[in-house]
């Protein structure tokens, strides 16, 4: 399988198969949300769109990263999301990098959103689809985020072999600039950051599902899909 790692600014065309990576934290949060019983996640293009969707669907839960904002129910934090009842819920997610990256390749024939917690399942789904060429969209730091690049490379290796040592990839993620900033933010009591966030985001192959995004009417919707065994 041929792999290309591109930042969002480097996307010049829509790839046939795209895997959008946001380890810290959007697509780790999404995976934990599905594990908590969420039905689907709507990827919003802006905070205003997220709030408009929430206003039209009062039962939906809106989350964003960054500072608290009126109208939003939750933070983009896997640890903090665990305090919400997610069973059967629809979540509207707007983040700085992850949702932007997914919307940038919204017309891909196969579009997966991934992080370490669903890395193995994502690789198995790519293998099942017989993907010969995959574009990994590295959303953090305009394509330079070490945690996202490490995850993309790990998934690429896992497509070829189930026997891959994850520790070198996890070490890069743990030592990344953004992991350090999140840890510092948690120590300072920064709103929307929890001391367990980095740990939860790096629980490799925690879940047996992949996450597929596709258009459903006017919305871009992310859903969990069981991955084949192996």
């Amino acid at each position: 399988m041929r792999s290309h790692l591109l930042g969002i600014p480097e996307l010049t065309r829509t790839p046939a198969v795209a895997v959008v990576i946001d380890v810290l934290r959007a697509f780790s949060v999404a995976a934990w949300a599905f594990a908590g019983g969420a039905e689907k996640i709507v990827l919003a293009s802006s905070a205003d769109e997220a709030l408009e969707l929430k206003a039209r669907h009062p039962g939906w839960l809106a989350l964003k990263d960054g500072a608290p904002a009126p109208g939003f129910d939750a933070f983009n934090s896997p640890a903090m999301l665990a305090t919400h009842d997610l069973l059967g819920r629809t979540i509207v997610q707007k983040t700085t990098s992850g949702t932007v990256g997914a919307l940038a390749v919204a017309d891909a024939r196969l579009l997966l959103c991934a992080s370490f917690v669903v890395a193995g399942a994502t690789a198995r789904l790519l293998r099942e689809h017989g993907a010969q060429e995959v574009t990994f969209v590295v959303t953090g730091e305009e394509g330079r985020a070490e945690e996202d690049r490490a995850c993309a490379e790990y998934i690429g290796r896992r497509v070829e072999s189930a026997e891959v040592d994850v520790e070198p990839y996890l070490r890069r993620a743990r030592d990344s600039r953004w992991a350090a900033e999140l840890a510092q933010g948690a120590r300072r009591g920064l709103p929307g950051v929890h001391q367990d966030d980095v740990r939860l985001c790096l629980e490799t192959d925690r879940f047996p599902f992949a996450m597929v995004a596709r258009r459903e009417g006017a919305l871009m919707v992310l859903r969990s899909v069981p991955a084949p065994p192996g």
Side-chain angles (χ1 to χ4, degrees):
M1 185 187 78
R2 295 186 300 278
S3 298
H4 309 281
L5 275 65
L6 299 177
I8 297 171
E10 299 173 296
L11 293 167
T12 58
R13 61 181 180 85
T14 300
V17 180
V19 181
V20 184
I21 308 290
D22 191 335
V23 172
L24 298 172
R25 294 169 287 174
F27 297 136
S28 298
V29 169
W32 282 98
F34 286 127
E39 178 186 353
K40 65 179 184 287
I41 297 174
V42 177
L43 305 178
S45 61
S46 67
D48 286 344
E49 182 191 11
L51 293 177
E52 288 171 8
L53 288 168
K54 166 79 182 205
R56 296 207 307 265
H57 305 277
W60 290 11
L61 185 150
L63 70 83
K64 65 181 287 293
D65 53 11
F72 284 89
D73 308 289
F75 291 108
N76 189 52
S77 158
M80 293 180 175
L81 196 64
T83 64
H84 294 269
D85 178 11
L86 303 178
L87 188 61
R89 301 286 295 275
T90 293
I91 295 173
V92 184
Q93 186 180 37
K94 169 65 182 85
T95 70
T96 304
S97 301
T99 57
V100 174
L103 292 169
V105 289
D107 293 323
R109 175 172 52 82
L110 175 63
L111 172 52
L112 306 177
C113 296
S115 61
F116 276 106
V117 294
V118 292
T122 301
R124 295 196 301 274
L125 194 62
L126 288 170
R127 191 185 311 133
E128 181 184 59
H129 279 264
Q132 298 299 308
E133 186 168 3
V134 176
T135 295
F136 289 94
V137 181
V138 178
T139 61
E141 299 180 46
E142 298 186 334
R144 298 186 301 274
E146 192 63 20
E147 70 279 3
D148 292 344
R149 296 186 69 86
C151 184
E153 291 170 18
Y154 175 64
I155 293 171
R157 290 286 308 279
R158 283 294 305 271
V159 173
E160 305 298 334
S161 171
E163 302 299 323
V164 179
D165 181 8
V166 70
E167 186 52 37
Y169 303 95
L170 281 178
R171 187 179 307 116
R172 289 164 57 190
R174 284 194 296 263
D175 293 343
S176 68
R177 185 185 69 83
W178 188 230
E181 288 195 11
L182 285 174
Q184 184 181 50
R187 287 193 296 270
R188 290 165 45 207
L190 194 69
V193 182
H194 192 280
Q195 63 182 0
D196 291 333
D197 279 350
V198 173
R199 177 183 63 80
L200 292 174
C201 289
L202 299 185
E203 288 196 10
T204 308
D205 302 334
R206 179 70 168 77
F207 304 119
F209 55 80
M211 300 186 295
V212 178
R214 58 172 60 94
R215 295 188 189 277
E216 295 185 13
L219 303 178
M220 194 67 184
V221 177
L222 186 65
R223 294 183 184 271
S224 63
V225 176

